[in-house]
Amino acid sequence: MMARTASYVPKTDPGVPSFSLGLTDSSQEGASTQETEMEKSPEAANLIEQLDSLVQRIASSATKGKNTSPQIQRETGGESSAKFETPRGLYQITDDMKQKCYIWGTRLKEDADGNTNEYEEMCTLIGQGEYILMRMHLASLQAKSDIESQIVSAVCLILNNKNEKRFQEQIYCLPPDIVCMALSDHPNGEFVSPKTKKEFRVEAYPSFIPFIDRKKLTSHPYIFAPVCYAGHWWLWLINTRKRKCQILDPLHKIAPTDERKTINKFTGYVFSRLITYAGGKPLQKGEREKEIKSPYVKISGQKTSYDCAVYVMKWMEIIEPENIKKGKYQWDNWPQEEVDHYRVEYASRILFSEMNTQRDQAIRESSAIRLSKPSSILLSPFCQINSTDIESG
């Protein structure tokens, strides 16, 4: 379901250069233009032919009354490419296809009256319920923007659905919807809400309960739980066997303020209540449940002020809890160019997910986009894509 309906406007920096990518919908171009482009770039011509063939095959399948949706093979963490299967064959999701998907999914249009398409439903993930993403959520993946909590929740749902031992037996990624709403209702980590005059109760958030997998929440030895407060994301690692918690923060090695310490205590209480609600044992008993300790792990993190969510989402895929030694986690941090690229990756992984009932549309719309400028420009954090850069059919 939709966790929030507030309007989203991507952040921009007035001092950052903007590029006009010269992107067009292939249906808008004449045959002579296509031939010229093909002569200039044989690789582009080959890709276009493959994409056109894919669209034709999907359309042909639909006309024959087949209701089977194209199936995307599950990706493993860290892959830069993947495949999806249609009734007629197996196709590679190339980097160009991902970039086209990113462009289509994150661009906002404005009409003559100043209205935008930010509330357009773009993705419906089917799991325990229907989790809907609108265009404004995907638009938060634009360069230098703070990523919306719905994107992080979608990634949690997709990871939990992966047919891998890591997520089926070891690690459960807890969608952040309830904890984010709880922190909104209990500002500064107050245990008694100034709004309701009541303490936190899971039952107070019935809209989000269906997206919690109670079995995995109580059976898996580790819970990875993203948290966002005041625009910053960090990740809780909960060892359900030892009843111990640790925090991985992309920006901080210790709690930066006393307020954060209070928030962490409240957050630990929320997680303990969620586990108990699902049928498990609380992390602590009695009043100690409000004093759950959560030491910070020293780990190399973000280099910017806006990539915390990217790190949290990727850490859910790659962090091995048993490798945390003496409060430290050693790993090779990514170069900034790779961090920027993950925004492109997540757009395609969400929209092309086999859980997305609107995936066929994402494939068709992405295939229709032509890249007439070097695709490497798309990965630059300075690249801003506006509605004027793409003409719709």
Side-chain angles (χ1 to χ4, degrees):
M1 66 162 295
M2 294 177 288
R4 184 169 59 183
T5 57
S7 175
Y8 170 77
V9 179
K11 295 183 178 179
T12 58
D13 186 341
V16 173
S18 177
F19 299 97
S20 177
L21 301 180
L23 304 174
T24 60
D25 189 305
S26 61
S27 63
Q28 300 288 315
E29 299 184 3
S32 60
T33 303
Q34 293 181 14
E35 291 172 359
T36 302
E37 292 290 339
M38 292 178 183
E39 291 173 0
K40 291 181 179 179
S41 176
E43 294 181 0
N46 185 48
L47 175 61
I48 293 167
E49 290 177 359
Q50 293 178 10
L51 294 175
D52 287 341
S53 176
L54 169 61
V55 175
Q56 291 173 7
R57 291 180 180 185
I58 293 175
S60 175
S61 175
T63 57
K64 292 182 178 181
K66 294 183 178 181
N67 296 322
T68 304
S69 300
Q71 298 296 313
I72 299 178
Q73 287 190 341
R74 300 175 187 270
E75 296 182 26
T76 57
E79 286 186 351
S80 61
S81 64
K83 299 178 180 179
F84 58 87
E85 186 176 5
T86 72
R88 295 298 186 88
L90 190 66
Y91 295 86
Q92 187 78 19
I93 298 180
T94 64
D95 285 341
D96 278 350
M97 186 68 163
K98 293 178 181 180
Q99 290 159 12
K100 292 178 179 184
C101 178
Y102 174 76
I103 294 168
W104 173 71
T106 62
R107 60 174 173 148
L108 294 174
K109 294 181 180 180
E110 183 174 327
D111 61 23
D113 298 325
N115 300 313
T116 69
N117 60 342
E118 61 185 342
Y119 294 110
E120 178 185 359
E121 292 185 6
M122 300 287 289
C123 173
T124 303
L125 297 178
I126 300 298
Q128 287 87 8
E130 292 187 355
Y131 198 90
I132 299 174
L133 296 179
M134 294 183 288
R135 188 177 292 274
M136 67 176 181
H137 302 138
L138 289 159
S140 70
L141 288 168
Q142 289 187 16
K144 303 186 74 172
S145 296
D146 292 330
I147 294 175
E148 296 276 4
S149 63
Q150 288 82 357
I151 296 295
V152 180
S153 289
V155 170
C156 286
L157 295 172
I158 291 171
L159 291 178
N160 291 331
N161 193 55
K162 290 173 87 60
N163 189 23
E164 297 176 5
K165 183 178 180 180
R166 175 181 177 88
F167 298 107
Q168 293 302 317
E169 300 180 12
Q170 300 172 345
I171 295 171
Y172 174 63
C173 300
L174 181 64
D177 302 291
I178 288 181
V179 69
C180 287
M181 292 297 295
L183 285 170
S184 175
D185 293 336
H186 297 258
N188 303 318
E190 300 175 41
F191 283 94
V192 177
S193 170
K195 299 179 182 179
T196 65
K197 308 301 180 183
K198 297 179 181 179
E199 291 194 347
F200 169 80
R201 294 175 64 253
V202 177
E203 294 85 352
Y205 305 94
S207 298
F208 302 105
I209 291 176
F211 303 107
I212 297 176
D213 190 320
R214 301 188 189 190
K215 182 179 179 180
K216 290 182 179 180
L217 185 59
T218 56
S219 65
H220 285 23
Y222 292 101
I223 298 171
F224 283 12
V227 178
C228 183
Y229 186 78
H232 181 63
W233 286 91
W234 61 94
L235 182 67
W236 276 64
L237 271 62
I238 303 172
N239 186 324
T240 61
R241 302 290 190 265
K242 297 181 178 180
R243 327 307 290 174
K244 292 184 177 180
C245 304
Q246 294 172 299
I247 290 177
L248 273 66
D249 190 313
L251 196 59
H252 304 291
K253 304 299 184 290
I254 60 174
T257 62
D258 288 340
E259 178 191 28
R260 182 64 61 80
K261 293 178 182 178
T262 302
I263 290 170
N264 286 338
K265 288 182 179 180
F266 173 73
T267 303
Y269 175 73
V270 170
F271 292 143
S272 183
R273 289 289 84 205
L274 282 166
I275 294 171
T276 305
Y277 178 84
K281 296 180 180 179
L283 297 176
Q284 292 291 339
K285 296 180 179 179
E287 288 300 311
R288 289 187 301 171
E289 196 175 20
K290 297 181 180 179
E291 297 289 338
I292 294 172
K293 296 180 180 180
S294 53
Y296 279 60
V297 175
K298 293 180 173 60
I299 184 171
S300 176
Q302 69 192 86
K303 308 174 186 68
T304 68
S305 62
Y306 47 80
D307 284 327
C308 50
V310 175
Y311 274 81
V312 165
M313 290 188 292
K314 290 301 294 183
W315 280 350
M316 288 192 292
E317 297 183 66
I318 67 171
I319 290 293
E320 299 292 347
E322 61 272 14
N323 290 341
I324 297 176
K325 307 295 184 181
K326 296 181 179 180
K328 295 182 180 180
Y329 192 91
Q330 300 293 334
W331 74 301
D332 295 327
N333 199 349
W334 306 293
Q336 186 58 42
E337 300 79 30
E338 190 169 351
V339 178
D340 296 335
H341 179 75
Y342 287 144
R343 291 174 178 263
V344 177
E345 288 279 334
Y346 280 120
S348 61
R349 290 180 67 178
I350 291 172
L351 291 171
F352 290 161
S353 169
E354 61 183 7
M355 297 174 66
N356 180 19
T357 61
Q358 295 165 264
R359 179 183 53 188
D360 290 4
Q361 179 187 4
I363 293 173
R364 289 193 298 268
E365 297 288 351
S366 301
S367 301
I369 292 176
R370 294 285 300 278
L371 299 178
S372 58
K373 293 290 183 70
S375 60
S376 60
I377 292 179
L378 297 174
L379 306 184
S380 168
F382 303 112
C383 175
Q384 299 295 326
I385 302 172
N386 301 313
S387 58
T388 56
D389 293 314
I390 306 174
E391 296 180 4
S392 299

